[in-house]
Amino acid sequence: MTSTAQAPQPGAGTAHPEHLGHVIFIAAAAAMGGFLFGYDSSVINGAVEAIRDRYDIGPAALAQVIAIALIGCAIGAATAGRIADRIGRIRCMQIASVLFTISAVGSALPFALWDLAFWRIVGGFAIGMASVIGPAYIAEVAPPAYRGRLGSFQQAAIVIGIAISQLVNWGLLNAAGGNQRGQLMGLEAWQVMLGVMVIPAVLYGMLSFAIPESPRFLLSVGKRERAKEILAEVEGKGVDLDARVDEIEHAMRSEHRSTFKDLLGGGVFFKPIVWVGIGLSVFQQFVGINVAFYYSSTLWQSVGVDPTQSFFYSFTTSIINIIGTVIAMIFVDRIGRKPLALIGSAGMVVGLALEAWAFSYDLVDGKLPATQGWVALVAAHVFVLFFALSWGVVVWVFLGEMFPNRIRAAALGVAASAQWIANWAITASFPSLASWNLSATYIIYTVFAALSIPFVLKFVKETKGKALEEMG
């Protein structure tokens, strides 16, 4: 048996910090941004019908109020990296915390429809920042031996945030007697639903003061000694800190900062691999997944489910989303990304097709017939389960791995932008499409789920077990 008092090792590949619990706390605190990402994205689900009623607006105007947050998301995601490089990752988190708090208060106390929309944009900007800064910070702070597991905290936090928002909405609706416009604490119930986000937003800000700045950022601004202190804290004192700092600085100097111009070529504007990334992003959204998180309460009420039950079904859907995400995290490195995507696509086709069939029946006394109602409910949960265990996680894994090193950052930015745009298109179109023909709307989503199968088979290459340097 070798002695436990080993000489410091120059690399960090096998670094194991003495206080792993502290490192887990740091990653969990950063992932609070992901929790708020999920919470703020889906909490609006509980307010849709009340907003429609209070401001007496049609489906098109309603859709814009719901979807307008995605404009803020796109701007926040596009600018977060530059902000973090200028003022640091922690300051970026604190700005996002303030914006989440302001958005929650403003959304809870709107005096007109336009200012509610404005506060939604502010919240969207915070979501965009959180979607970028959380994973980046965790990757920079986590010891390499634990990076994959700690990096999964962000996705786990997002789906937990979605579930908690639906649970809170359901509880508040019950407290208001099942009426979204019922009185609670001097406000209408839907206003309280939007305002409760102040609590996790403030907590996120407080936690940001309890975690260290990224060593990578500190080195970029010349704070070498402080960077070494944090590396010792998160990677363990057995690591040769001077060698580790030299390693990071060398990597930073040799990095190629990819630009938009690097993506051009291949005959049709972008390189083919960039189009594959865009395709993955678009298919992920065009199956209609965010309808389940933004509009599910409205959807169930439109087919005769009472408001309290509709909110409960939104919560159970969120629990299924968590279960599916855990399944994906377990199997994505075991069976591979591509098989998981194909399994998910096939399951989504079945779930969406059954929903389309159920919604094709006429309502009887304002409700779907019993059989069709139960089929719709089960199928909705099947759809979310298969999405969560596949495309919900796999797309982000693919986008992080599939691009060559030289263009990775820029290509990922384009693919993520395509995802926000596709998200906006689905979110903004659903109320009008559902008013036209709910069954046909779900047929459209089914077609996109079916088309994703040949797309993956023909264009997407497996990245499991390959080094990033092998991508090309």
Side-chain angles (χ1 to χ4, degrees):
M1 183 180 291
T2 56
S3 169
T4 55
Q6 297 174 349
Q9 300 299 308
T14 58
H16 297 277
E18 289 81 2
H19 305 291
L20 182 58
H22 180 58
V23 177
I24 291 172
F25 169 77
I26 290 171
M32 268 297 294
F35 178 91
L36 283 158
F37 177 165
Y39 194 102
D40 193 29
S41 295
S42 62
V43 71
I44 193 69
N45 189 10
V48 173
E49 287 306 302
I51 292 170
R52 188 204 302 265
D53 182 62
R54 173 163 173 169
Y55 296 105
D56 192 25
I57 53 176
L62 177 69
Q64 293 309 315
V65 174
I66 307 305
I68 201 166
L70 299 169
I71 296 172
C73 291
I75 298 170
T79 57
R82 291 181 182 274
I83 294 171
D85 284 341
R86 285 180 176 271
I87 65 174
R89 283 58 166 152
I90 299 298
R91 288 283 180 266
C92 196
M93 290 181 198
Q94 290 163 354
I95 290 171
S97 167
V98 170
L99 293 177
F100 275 124
T101 304
I102 291 172
S103 170
V105 174
S107 298
L109 303 171
F111 50 82
L113 190 63
W114 69 265
D115 81 299
L116 174 61
F118 174 76
W119 300 123
R120 294 273 300 148
I121 295 174
V122 171
F125 191 95
I127 291 173
M129 291 182 74
S131 72
V132 171
I133 199 60
Y137 173 84
I138 293 171
E140 291 176 357
V141 173
Y146 297 94
R147 184 171 294 143
R149 281 165 284 183
L150 293 175
S152 68
F153 279 25
Q154 175 80 359
Q155 181 63 24
I158 292 171
V159 296
I160 291 170
I162 291 171
I164 295 297
S165 73
Q166 301 311 304
L167 180 60
V168 169
N169 284 355
W170 179 58
L172 290 172
L173 185 71
N174 276 288
N179 182 2
Q180 291 180 39
R181 297 198 61 189
Q183 290 296 304
L184 276 180
M185 296 181 281
L187 299 171
E188 293 183 6
W190 70 273
Q191 294 175 273
V192 180
M193 291 175 190
L194 300 184
V196 164
M197 193 178 67
V198 165
I199 298 170
V202 171
L203 178 60
Y204 180 41
M206 292 170 63
L207 286 171
S208 71
F209 287 98
I211 58 178
E213 183 54 88
S214 157
R216 189 182 177 92
F217 171 74
L218 291 170
L219 289 173
S220 74
V221 294
K223 296 183 178 180
R224 189 182 177 97
E225 290 307 311
R226 178 58 181 151
K228 286 165 67 175
E229 290 174 15
I230 294 168
L231 284 169
E233 183 181 333
V234 299
E235 293 191 1
K237 295 176 182 176
V239 174
D240 184 334
L241 296 176
D242 288 313
R244 188 74 180 95
V245 165
D246 289 342
E247 185 183 328
I248 295 172
E249 288 182 329
H250 175 73
M252 290 167 64
R253 284 192 299 271
S254 61
E255 277 179 355
H256 171 79
R257 296 186 70 84
S258 53
T259 65
F260 188 78
K261 189 179 294 185
D262 294 325
L263 308 181
L264 306 180
V268 191
F269 196 66
F270 289 129
K271 297 178 188 296
I273 191 66
V274 180
W275 282 115
V276 174
I278 292 170
L280 285 168
S281 290
V282 170
F283 274 117
Q284 188 199 50
Q285 295 299 317
F286 275 16
V287 296
I289 186 59
N290 278 310
V291 168
F293 299 126
Y294 297 159
Y295 295 113
S296 60
S297 294
T298 295
L299 174 66
W300 295 124
Q301 289 174 55
S302 73
V303 293
V305 176
D306 73 66
T308 303
Q309 278 189 304
S310 75
F311 275 50
F312 180 71
Y313 294 152
S314 296
F315 171 62
T316 58
T317 302
S318 301
I319 296 300
I320 294 295
N321 189 32
I322 294 175
I323 293 169
T325 301
V326 171
I327 294 171
M329 290 164 64
I330 291 170
F331 287 105
V332 69
D333 284 324
R334 296 187 183 183
I335 69 172
R337 292 79 163 118
K338 193 168 176 177
L340 211 53
L342 292 169
I343 291 167
S345 292
M348 288 192 294
V349 168
V350 173
L352 289 166
L354 287 172
E355 284 192 86
W357 172 80
F359 293 141
S360 69
Y361 282 74
D362 292 332
L363 302 184
V364 178
D365 296 327
K367 296 183 178 183
L368 278 176
T371 300
Q372 284 70 29
W374 279 108
V375 167
L377 184 61
V378 172
H381 285 73
V382 167
F383 162 59
V384 170
L385 175 65
F386 276 93
F387 175 87
L389 65 80
S390 60
W391 286 73
V393 170
V394 164
V395 168
W396 287 110
V397 175
F398 267 131
L399 294 180
E401 296 177 338
M402 65 188 286
F403 301 117
N405 280 337
R406 195 172 65 83
I407 66 167
R408 180 169 293 116
L412 185 52
V414 168
S417 297
Q419 197 169 116
W420 287 119
I421 293 167
N423 189 341
W424 174 83
I426 291 298
T427 305
S429 63
F430 177 74
S432 296
L433 285 172
S435 295
W436 162 63
N437 190 316
L438 186 58
S439 179
T441 302
Y442 272 82
I443 289 173
I444 293 170
Y445 301 154
T446 305
V447 168
F448 279 110
L451 289 174
S452 71
I453 295 174
F455 174 80
V456 170
L457 287 171
K458 183 172 177 60
F459 297 111
V460 179
K461 295 179 180 178
E462 181 59 77
T463 58
K464 174 192 170 187
K466 293 184 180 180
L468 296 181
E469 289 69 30
E470 294 180 55
M471 305 303 168

